[in-house]
């Protein structure tokens, strides 16, 4: 790796990261900040095995009855890590283990959550179940999971009803309509574009667009806006970045495309002027968070997709690169996970690498991953105030780090967990 790539100062926007003094930090003057590829593979496999041991094998059947079955913080994240291992290595054992875990999650999902999204609901269980069954060649089980997915979609009447706070679903990625569409995209990506037909999907897309226009009706400069529990969030988890990223995967009319572009332009023009970071919600004056859930990381990933879709508009490519620079200059953050930690921030660089082909972004992702390789075990407890409740989960813990390490084996094919290219 080039000696020109240096990790920035480990300082957050508003508080010192003195806690990092207890960790083995990368030497910013070293010629090689990252580890060799074979080390990432061994680390990914080892970490995946630790996650399986802690979340699946150790508890026993009685414990599993009370599990959180979701992708975000629950056992389904372990299944996802096993699937990513299979995709990277071809290990049939991991695919079969993934199927076993998904089946266990499916037994409890309706008792645990009413949501139908990929990350926090039954949509993720059934989507992953269908894809894994298809890999195995169990087409009867695949069709069963597809039927369950369609059943929950029809139950929720997704194309109708006002936003959360009224009588309908919210629009966000974690709990709302965008999260359902993410699950649908995952199915169609892996099983074929018309597995879930347009007459099911596009009315939901149109409902999300209509909801955004209604939410922006009192703002003449932003075409689309959404609320989650009354707050107009901008980030990927609950706000604009996540919703727009999903919309960009669907065929949009000229009017719809202009509204998406206009919203991205509004966000860029209203980012913090000194740092270039993005507010966590509309009107928030605190320039604090740089992560996937809130801030420049999630926006960078969305802007990369926008640059691919609107390839003639150079501004979105430039904006994605600018947002990536914010992530890099912000340095290492306090947590390990995809949602709000170092692993999630590394995916901003992988998205930029796929977009630009520039080696510097691969090198930056590997530099962050190398820090995780050396420190993730301690970082996951410190970052969560000493608790280990979600220490092995996909979005807040070590399963997400395992996925990142697998993705570094083939960075040109990398994708944020759940994302479809």
């Amino acid at each position: 790796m080039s000696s020109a790539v240096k990790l920035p100062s480990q300082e957050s926007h508003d508080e010192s990261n003195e806690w990092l003094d207890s960790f083995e930090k990368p030497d910013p003057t070293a010629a090689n900040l990252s580890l060799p590829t074979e080390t990432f593979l061994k680390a990914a496999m080892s970490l995946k095995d630790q996650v399986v041991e802690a979340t699946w094998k150790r508890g026993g059947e009685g414990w599993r009855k009370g599990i959180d079955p979701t992708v975000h913080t629950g056992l389904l994240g372990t299944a996802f890590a096993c699937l990513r291992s299979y995709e990277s290595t071809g290990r049939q054992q991991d695919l079969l283990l993934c199927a076993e875990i998904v089946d266990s999650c499916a037994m409890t999902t309706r008792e645990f959550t009413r949501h139908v999204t990929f990350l926090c609901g039954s949509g993720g269980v059934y989507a992953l179940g269908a894809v894994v069954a298809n890999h195995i060649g169990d087409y009867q089980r695949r069709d069963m999971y597809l039927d369950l997915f369609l059943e929950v979609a029809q139950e929720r009447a997704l194309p109708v009803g006002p936003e959360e706070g009224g009588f309908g679903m919210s629009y966000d990625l974690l709990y709302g309509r965008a999260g359902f569409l993410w699950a649908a995209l995952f199915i169609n990506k892996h099983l074929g574009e018309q597995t879930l037909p347009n007459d099911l999907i596009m009315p939901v897309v149109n409902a999300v667009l209509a909801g955004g226009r209604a939410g922006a009706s009192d703002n003449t400069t932003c075409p689309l806006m959404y609320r989650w529990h009354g707050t107009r969030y901008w980030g990927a988890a609950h706000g604009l970045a996540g919703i727009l990223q999903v919309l960009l995967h669907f065929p949009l009319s000229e009017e719809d495309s202009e509204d998406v572009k206009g919203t991205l332009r509004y966000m860029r023009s209203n980012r913090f002027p000194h740092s270039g970071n993005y507010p966590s919600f509309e009107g928030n004056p605190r320039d604090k968070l740089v992560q996937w859930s809130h801030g420049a990381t999630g926006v960078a990933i969305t802007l990369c997709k926008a640059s691919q879709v609107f390839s003639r508009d150079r501004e979105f490519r430039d904006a994605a690169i600018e947002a990536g620079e914010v992530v890099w200059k912000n340095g290492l953050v306090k947590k390990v996970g995809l949602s709000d930690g170092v692993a999630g921030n590394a995916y901003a660089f992988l998205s930029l690498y796929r977009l630009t082909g520039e080696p510097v972004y691969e090198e930056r992702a590997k530099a962050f991953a190398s820090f995780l390789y050396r420190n993730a075990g301690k970082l996951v407890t410190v970052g969560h105030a000493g608790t280990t409740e979600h220490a092995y989960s996909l979005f807040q813990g070590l399963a997400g780090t395992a996925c990142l390490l697998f993705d570094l084996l083939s960075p040109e094919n990398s994708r944020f967990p759940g994302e479809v290219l």
Side-chain angles (χ1 to χ4, degrees):
M1 182 176 295
S2 169
S3 59
V5 179
K6 299 180 180 180
L7 277 173
S9 172
Q10 289 89 28
E11 293 291 329
S12 65
H13 280 300
D14 63 344
E15 54 187 322
S16 171
N17 277 344
E18 293 178 358
W19 61 278
L20 275 170
D21 290 343
S22 62
F23 295 96
E24 180 187 350
K25 293 187 283 291
D27 179 0
T29 64
N32 293 301
L33 289 174
S34 74
L35 303 164
T37 300
E38 58 269 22
T39 302
F40 283 129
L41 174 59
K42 291 178 182 178
M45 293 300 296
S46 175
L47 199 52
K48 180 266 301 176
D49 289 341
Q50 291 177 48
V51 170
V52 170
E53 177 66 29
T55 62
W56 178 247
K57 293 182 178 180
R58 190 179 299 169
E61 290 296 332
W63 172 79
R64 293 175 200 165
K65 292 178 181 178
I67 59 168
D68 169 358
T70 68
V71 171
H72 190 253
T73 55
L75 185 59
L76 200 65
T78 301
F80 192 96
C82 291
L83 178 61
R84 186 56 59 86
S85 176
Y86 165 75
E87 291 172 336
S88 299
T89 67
R91 278 173 52 96
Q92 194 74 11
Q93 179 182 349
D94 285 330
L95 180 63
L96 295 175
L97 178 58
C98 177
E100 184 180 354
I101 296 172
V102 171
D103 287 345
S104 181
C105 291
M107 294 174 63
T108 62
T109 184
R110 291 209 178 196
E111 298 174 8
F112 183 86
T113 179
R114 63 182 178 85
H115 302 296
V116 298
T117 62
F118 185 82
L119 293 181
C120 294
S122 55
V125 178
Y126 301 147
L128 197 60
V131 169
V132 173
N134 191 67
H135 277 303
I136 292 172
D138 187 344
Y139 303 122
Q140 183 177 358
R141 184 168 292 274
R142 175 200 65 190
D143 292 343
M144 177 198 74
Y145 276 119
L146 286 175
D147 288 342
L148 287 169
F149 186 87
L150 292 169
E151 181 182 327
V152 296
Q154 291 161 358
E155 284 178 358
R156 291 307 303 267
L158 293 166
V160 299
E163 67 178 311
E164 185 271 334
F167 297 99
M169 290 181 67
S170 61
Y171 294 103
D172 66 302
L173 195 61
L174 257 64
Y175 300 117
R177 289 175 172 97
F180 166 81
L181 290 172
W182 215 19
L185 285 167
F186 187 82
I187 289 173
N188 281 355
K189 169 66 177 180
H190 288 275
L191 303 184
E193 288 303 318
Q194 285 300 310
T195 303
L196 299 176
N198 283 340
D199 59 1
L200 170 72
I201 302 303
M202 291 310 296
V204 185
V205 173
N206 292 332
V208 174
L209 288 161
R213 292 181 181 116
S217 59
D218 59 347
N219 187 330
T220 59
T221 59
C222 185
L224 302 172
M225 186 60 70
Y226 302 88
R227 291 179 178 84
W228 188 75
H229 287 284
T231 300
R232 296 180 173 188
Y233 285 102
W234 283 29
H238 295 299
L240 287 169
I243 296 167
L244 296 178
Q245 209 266 354
V246 169
L247 289 175
L248 285 163
H249 285 83
F250 293 96
L252 301 174
S253 68
E254 183 176 352
E255 178 187 3
D256 296 339
S257 295
E258 289 303 315
D259 281 351
V260 170
K261 290 179 184 180
T263 303
L264 290 170
R265 288 167 180 150
Y266 172 83
M267 294 174 71
R268 190 185 186 195
S269 65
N270 286 278
R271 66 197 190 279
F272 291 112
H274 297 294
S275 69
N277 190 28
Y278 288 77
S280 57
F281 57 86
E282 183 86 352
N284 180 23
R286 298 190 67 193
D287 184 2
K288 179 181 179 182
L289 302 176
V290 179
Q291 54 187 231
W292 176 81
S293 291
H294 304 287
T297 304
V299 177
I301 294 172
T302 297
L303 287 167
C304 285
K305 181 63 180 178
S307 181
Q308 294 169 351
V309 174
F310 308 126
S311 57
R312 295 183 180 181
D313 295 296
R314 176 78 187 198
E315 62 182 300
F316 299 116
R317 180 186 175 97
D318 293 342
I321 291 171
E322 290 170 359
E325 289 302 308
V326 174
V327 179
W328 180 247
K329 291 175 181 177
N330 184 69
L332 300 168
V333 294
K334 287 190 173 184
K335 296 183 181 181
V336 65
L338 296 173
S339 183
D340 51 9
V342 178
N345 285 0
Y347 272 102
F349 306 134
L350 289 176
S351 294
L352 284 162
Y353 177 68
R354 291 202 321 267
L355 176 66
T356 68
E358 292 292 335
V360 64
Y361 297 117
E362 179 185 1
E363 293 168 358
R364 288 178 174 183
K366 287 183 175 179
F368 273 32
S370 297
F371 173 77
L372 288 174
Y373 169 80
R374 298 181 177 95
N375 300 297
K378 292 186 292 181
L379 188 67
V380 73
T381 54
V382 172
H384 289 278
T387 69
T388 57
E389 181 181 2
H390 300 306
Y392 295 94
S393 70
L394 187 66
F395 270 70
Q396 294 185 14
L398 297 175
T401 300
C403 288
L404 171 64
L405 296 174
F406 280 123
D407 269 329
L408 288 172
L409 305 179
S410 181
E412 66 277 5
N413 298 316
S414 63
R415 60 204 184 276
F416 189 86
E419 179 187 11
V420 296
L421 303 181

